[in-house]
């Protein structure tokens, strides 16, 4: 073997050895992380009487829950299940909520108060309260330029950007029912449009909404229906849709534009007690049990549960 060949072979051997060693280390790290996360609680209590509805998880392993009872915000460690109220409500409900990617600000849907609120995630102080003039501000999704909120009793969305709330009328295929209609909201896989649960049109389903115009187009889900559709969660092209009264999560694989979805699974669990919304950490999905089938009291027990992703 020529010197140059020997040099090349040595470099190749060293590079290969380093790569294999690195892969082993990474694999070991990933396995250790999975083992550690698997030991985390798959069910943990929320405060008695809390009446949870929304959940959000940011870039750290903490879940934030909103209270329908008084608007409190409760933060729980996913590693231990322990938590505390970190933001006092004003007596007005918190329904859907999201935390920004920096973990600094919470965006809250104020339910029948018609409000949108932002809260400093570190101090728990309310930063701003925006009146929408709406009837029931339900859920929220964050996009690079705005926070988008659903309104359950009017054919509109609310857009919060740069401290201003704009009302966007829903047109096209949108059908407003005589009762509760819009619920959960997400982005399409390509990020160009919004997905909104419409519990009324054609027995319940999804609408793809152009954020520039408000024009809605029914998403083709085949024979699947979402009459009890609530929270949505998109991971890649997999969409998780919580069907609260059915104690189930229906799972769809979407095309990039979000115009079509194929049902691929249904997740059920005996611990489900009318879950409403869903967030993810690691390979798990976390859901609050809203228990809408019981009359809430100050001593009613509530909890959150975790299930595996598809």
């Amino acid at each position: 073997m020529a010197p140059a060949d020997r040099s090349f072979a040595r470099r190749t051997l060293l590079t290969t050895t380093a790569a294999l060693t690195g892969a082993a280390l990474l694999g070991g790290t990933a396995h250790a992380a999975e083992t550690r996360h698997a030991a985390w609680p798959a069910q943990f209590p929320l405060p008695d009487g809390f009446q949870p509805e929304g959940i959000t998880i940011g870039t750290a392993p903490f879940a934030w829950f909103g209270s329908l009872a008084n608007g409190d915000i409760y933060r729980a460690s996913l590693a231990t299940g322990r938590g505390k109220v970190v933001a006092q409500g004003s007596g007005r409900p918190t329904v859907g909520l999201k935390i920004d990617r920096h973990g600094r600000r919470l965006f809250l849907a104020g339910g029948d108060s018609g409000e949108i609120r932002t809260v400093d995630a570190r101090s728990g102080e309310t930063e701003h309260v925006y009146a929408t003039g709406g009837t029931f501000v339900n859920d929220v999704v964050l996009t690079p330029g705005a926070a988008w909120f659903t309104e359950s009793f009017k054919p509109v969305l609310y857009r919060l950007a740069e401290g201003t709330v704009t009302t966007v009328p829903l047109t096209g295929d949108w059908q407003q029912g005589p009762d509760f209609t819009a619920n959960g909201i997400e982005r399409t896989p390509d990020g160009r449009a919004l997905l909104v649960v419409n519990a009324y049109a054609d027995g319940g389903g999804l609408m793809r909404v152009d954020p520039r115009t408000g024009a809605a187009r029914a998403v083709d889900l085949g024979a699947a229906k979402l009459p009890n559709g609530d929270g949505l969660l998109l991971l890649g092209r997999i969409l998780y849709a919580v069907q609260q009264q059915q104690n189930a999560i229906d799972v769809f694989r979407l095309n990039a534009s979000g115009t079509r979805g194929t049902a691929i699974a249904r997740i059920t669990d005996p611990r489900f007690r009318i879950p409403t919304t869903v967030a993810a950490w690691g390979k798990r999905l976390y859901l609050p049990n809203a228990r809408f089938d019981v009359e809430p009291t100050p001593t009613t027990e509530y909890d959150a549960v975790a299930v595996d992703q598809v």
Side-chain angles (χ1 to χ4, degrees):
M1 182 182 292
D5 293 334
R6 288 197 297 271
S7 177
F8 175 78
R10 182 174 182 273
R11 289 198 306 270
T12 301
L13 176 62
L14 291 174
T15 302
T16 303
T17 302
L20 291 173
T21 303
L25 289 172
L26 288 173
T29 301
H31 178 72
E34 289 178 13
T35 302
R36 183 174 69 253
H37 293 170
W40 291 3
Q43 185 171 11
F44 51 85
L46 301 176
D48 289 353
F50 189 75
Q51 297 183 47
E53 209 280 351
I55 181 175
T56 185
I57 299 172
T59 57
F62 294 91
W64 308 72
F65 301 88
S67 169
L68 292 175
N70 56 16
D72 283 358
I73 304 299
Y74 181 84
R75 189 185 72 174
S77 164
L78 301 181
T80 66
R82 294 190 294 269
K84 62 180 181 180
V85 172
V86 294
Q88 297 288 336
S90 57
R92 298 183 291 277
T94 296
V95 193
L97 73 166
K98 289 291 187 295
I99 192 166
D100 70 14
R101 62 189 179 90
H102 303 294
R104 298 172 183 168
R105 178 174 291 119
L106 290 159
F107 294 79
L108 315 180
D112 60 9
S113 71
E115 294 176 349
I116 290 169
R117 302 192 297 275
T118 58
V119 168
D120 186 311
R122 293 163 293 187
S123 70
E125 296 297 320
T126 298
E127 296 178 333
H128 298 286
V129 178
Y130 304 92
T132 66
T135 304
F136 196 95
V137 185
N138 193 319
D139 206 353
V140 54
V141 67
L142 304 182
T143 67
W148 291 86
F149 296 79
T150 55
E151 160 63 58
S152 293
F153 291 97
K154 295 181 180 181
V156 300
L157 297 177
Y158 302 117
R159 178 181 184 268
L160 172 61
E162 298 180 353
T164 301
V165 175
T166 305
T167 300
V168 180
L170 294 169
T171 60
D173 290 345
W174 188 267
Q175 297 178 41
Q176 185 68 29
D179 204 339
F180 208 88
T181 302
N183 204 321
I185 184 169
E186 251 292 2
R187 299 174 68 192
T188 56
D190 63 12
R192 296 182 179 180
L194 303 169
L195 296 171
V196 180
V197 171
N198 185 309
Y200 173 75
D202 195 30
L206 285 177
M207 294 283 175
R208 180 186 186 276
V209 178
D210 185 330
R212 298 168 301 171
T213 65
R217 175 182 175 183
V219 177
D220 180 4
L221 297 179
K225 304 290 183 184
L226 297 175
N228 306 120
D230 199 330
L232 300 177
L233 174 66
L234 183 71
L235 299 176
R237 290 194 183 184
I238 303 300
L239 180 72
Y240 296 89
V242 182
Q243 295 247 50
Q244 46 163 275
Q245 297 289 341
Q246 299 180 36
N247 285 316
I249 308 169
D250 284 332
V251 189
F252 300 89
R253 180 177 288 110
L254 301 180
N255 62 354
S257 60
T259 59
R260 185 176 65 256
T262 302
I264 60 172
R266 166 167 272 216
I267 301 171
T268 60
D269 192 286
R271 297 168 300 157
F272 285 171
R273 296 187 290 177
I274 309 189
T276 45
T277 50
V278 57
W281 180 265
K283 294 184 177 181
R284 283 180 169 182
L285 305 173
Y286 289 84
L287 305 93
N289 277 318
R291 304 194 67 190
F292 288 153
D293 57 340
V294 300
E295 186 68 27
T297 72
T299 59
T300 301
E301 295 179 351
Y302 294 98
D303 62 0
V305 298
V307 296
D308 291 336
Q309 297 177 24
V310 170

